[in-house]
Amino acid sequence: MDGNAPAGVADKLARLRLSFRKKAEGELDLLAEVVSRLSRGEQAGSGRAEDIASTYGILHRLAGSAGTFGYTALGNQARRLEQRLKPLVEQDELATDDFNRSEANTQPLFEVIEGIEGLRSLLDLTDELAKDAAGIQGHSSRKTGESDPDILVILCGLPQAESVFLEHALSNYGFSISRRDVDSLSTGNEPGMTTVVTSEESLPRVSRVLESIVSAGGVPKPPLLCLGHHDDFRSRYALADAGADAFFPEPIDAPQLAERIERLASEQSERISGKILILDDDKHLVAHYGAVLENAGFRVRAVSDPEVVLSELSEFRPDIMLLDVRMGSYSGTTVAKMIRFDPEWVSLPIVYLSSEQDRHIQLEALAKGADEFITKPVSDDFLVRTAQIRCYRARQLNELLIKDSLTGLLKHSVIKQEVENEYARCQRMSHVSSVAMLDLDHFKAVNDQYGHRTGDVVIKALANLLRNRLRSTDLIGRYGGEEFAVILPECTTDEARKVLAQICVAFADISFATPDGDLSVTLSAGVAALGEFAAGSDALDAADQALYERKTSGRNGVTVFQQV
């Protein structure tokens, strides 16, 4: 659905999509009944023929209509199953006993039956992915290999020459750049996160304009980064007092500036988003909490039955949990204690929501496994603010466990596990995905000649470039030293080669300041099709072989692994 459509049109499209989903659920229920009879072999002759024809008809309808309403994966899988079944439907002997006894006929039929079992999960998965994509380009689809315009950098109140330099230098990292006068400054309507860069001379005025925009429109204040000539305590204090969120001294080091912008925007994004699981037996309150939190940008899963909480935790994997203390015959404090039985949820922030006023009882409840106690009734603003703080802190702690401290990318062990996860997904959903290995060229010489500090700047610059040039659905990890691994879901090797080639060109255009002058570093990459191997680790090895081939044949480019 087009998120930029007028509200009336968007609402109508949403209602139509919901109507289709209900219809599709009915079709899938009917399909399950038919398939159950076929798998048990209850019917023969004409009855079996009717069931096969009915199965084919349902698959045909889903294949033709699902994609229109955004259920592309469901439509594609239905199309594959329809085509597999079509030769059987067209056979004249469909209703004969010879057909039933033929192994050539029964084998594809059972393959179709097995494939049908996963159709409902595709229906649900599409809606989950749609929620994940909310807020990115107004829910619109993006071609494989295109980068997310997540960060808009507004250059405001800067000298002309400095603006031109920054526009060229920062665009290499995949940022969207906009040069504006202070009088024409506006934020809040652009997609993704916004960062404003200004000079120390223009800072007070720019800060006042941003404050007025925030007050008038209710939009979050974007990070404000100030470039200045003086780097001492009094100067920094004055800039902080005038509204700056970060300071960057001149002369400008573009790679370090890009890293600072990316980090500020990332922190802002994390503060206003997250996944929240609510467990409360008051359905009206649950509905209200869910609406308030979703309106604030959170993804919410609400349940009223404590007996399903463990499965919901495993499936939804929330950042925090809101839990009622009393739920009929169940105690929320006991539920919290039970959740902590599993080591995976020991660090999950649990916030009690209760009308209990006794502080001693509250402390006892906290002692049994929760982190905070909020007394009902709770205001909407307080609820949202609590969720923001808790989600932000939870993600900070999680990043310490799974992300590399230098680059902020996934650690070696985590990216390897994600390769296996995506490989399993490819096998389960018949998706085509790619995996890539990347390596900085002649990096040892950079460390030897310019020192490890410069080497770290180069590594962080590549990490920032990859984050901003690749899609939000792509996974990036620091594999070791100057080597990186990238997972590109639903992306062919040819598409992966093209986008990585663009990244190679952009990275080679970045200049790193050193005492001996500007330094440029190139990048090599190897790509392999993730689903064409016996395991995800084999695909990773193939990408590494392709990287080696690129290194031996000239570096600074991309090579796709070819099966011998």
Side-chain angles (χ1 to χ4, degrees), residues 33-242:
E33 294 177 10
V34 175
V35 165
S36 178
R37 290 197 297 268
L38 288 172
S39 62
R40 294 196 301 267
E42 293 178 349
Q43 293 179 305
S46 61
R48 185 179 180 85
E50 289 175 3
D51 280 346
I52 292 175
S54 176
T55 299
Y56 177 82
I58 295 173
L59 291 172
H60 180 78
R61 289 193 294 273
L62 289 173
S65 59
T68 303
F69 295 93
Y71 295 94
T72 305
L74 173 64
N76 290 342
Q77 179 67 353
R79 179 75 66 191
R80 282 190 284 268
L81 297 174
E82 173 203 5
Q83 294 300 316
R84 192 75 178 99
L85 198 59
K86 186 176 181 180
L88 306 186
V89 176
E90 293 176 343
Q91 290 187 35
D92 294 334
E93 69 272 26
L94 185 60
T96 68
D97 290 336
D98 289 338
F99 175 91
N100 296 329
R101 289 193 295 267
S102 171
E103 183 177 347
N105 293 327
T106 56
Q107 180 62 30
L109 178 59
F110 279 106
E111 290 177 4
V112 171
I113 290 173
E114 290 178 0
I116 286 171
E117 294 176 357
L119 289 179
R120 188 175 294 276
S121 65
L122 292 178
L123 190 69
D124 297 331
L125 177 63
T126 300
D127 286 335
E128 287 298 317
L129 292 177
K131 290 179 183 178
D132 286 341
I136 299 177
Q137 297 193 45
H139 300 266
S140 62
S141 298
R142 209 171 19 85
K143 293 181 180 179
T144 301
E146 291 182 0
S147 59
D148 293 312
D150 283 344
I151 300 178
L152 169 67
V153 179
I154 297 177
L155 306 176
C156 183
L158 294 169
Q160 176 74 10
E162 201 165 55
S163 290
V164 171
F165 166 74
L166 288 176
E167 182 174 19
H168 172 74
L170 296 177
S171 63
N172 285 327
Y173 290 87
F175 300 142
S176 296
I177 310 296
S178 177
R179 293 160 56 189
R180 303 180 189 176
D181 297 326
V182 178
D183 294 333
S184 62
L185 180 62
S186 64
T187 68
N189 295 322
E190 298 88 352
M193 308 309 300
T194 300
T195 300
V196 178
V197 180
T198 190
S199 64
E200 59 181 335
E201 293 82 8
S202 302
L203 174 64
R205 188 179 173 197
V206 170
S207 183
R208 286 195 299 271
V209 171
L210 289 178
E211 290 292 348
S212 65
I213 293 172
V214 170
S215 299
V219 296
K221 180 179 179 293
L224 178 56
L225 195 151
C226 181
L227 308 181
H229 312 292
H230 308 100
D231 188 8
D232 55 68
F233 174 83
R234 289 185 176 274
S235 298
R236 284 174 173 254
Y237 184 88
L239 295 176
D241 188 52

Side-chain angles (χ1 to χ4, degrees), residues 271-405:
R271 285 182 185 274
I272 61 173
S273 65
K275 295 196 295 183
I276 302 174
L277 177 66
I278 304 176
L279 175 58
D280 194 317
D281 62 346
D282 187 328
K283 294 184 179 180
H284 290 91
L285 273 180
V286 166
H288 178 79
Y289 294 153
V292 169
L293 293 169
E294 286 178 346
N295 186 59
F298 294 95
R299 284 184 57 198
V300 180
R301 180 77 62 89
V303 294
S304 56
D305 182 3
E307 293 187 14
V308 303
V309 68
L310 294 179
S311 60
E312 292 290 348
L313 282 169
S314 180
E315 179 185 343
F316 187 56
R317 309 194 70 79
D319 294 305
I320 67 170
M321 180 178 179
L322 304 182
L323 174 64
D324 191 14
V325 172
R326 300 183 187 278
M327 296 172 288
S329 60
Y330 291 100
S331 163
T333 56
T334 304
V335 171
K337 184 179 179 182
M338 178 196 69
I339 289 172
R340 302 299 193 199
F341 285 176
D342 189 337
E344 184 177 12
W345 306 117
V346 167
S347 61
L348 174 69
I350 297 178
V351 178
Y352 286 135
L353 296 173
S354 174
S355 56
E356 179 59 62
Q357 300 284 336
D358 190 310
R359 292 295 297 170
H360 294 289
I361 295 177
Q362 291 180 4
L363 288 173
E364 284 298 314
L366 289 173
K368 292 184 178 180
D371 301 275
E372 190 170 346
F373 202 108
I374 298 179
T375 304
K376 298 177 182 177
V378 54
S379 71
D380 293 349
D381 290 341
F382 189 82
L383 179 66
V384 169
R385 186 59 180 153
T386 299
Q388 289 175 339
I389 293 171
R390 284 292 176 182
C391 280
Y392 178 58
R393 182 58 178 161
R395 291 191 171 190
Q396 280 186 317
L397 294 174
N398 187 54
E399 286 189 358
L400 292 175
L401 297 175
I402 69 171
K403 292 191 176 181
D404 171 63
S405 60

Side-chain angles (χ1 to χ4, degrees), residues 54 427 496 550:
S54 176
Q427 301 302 308
R550 168 52 55 178

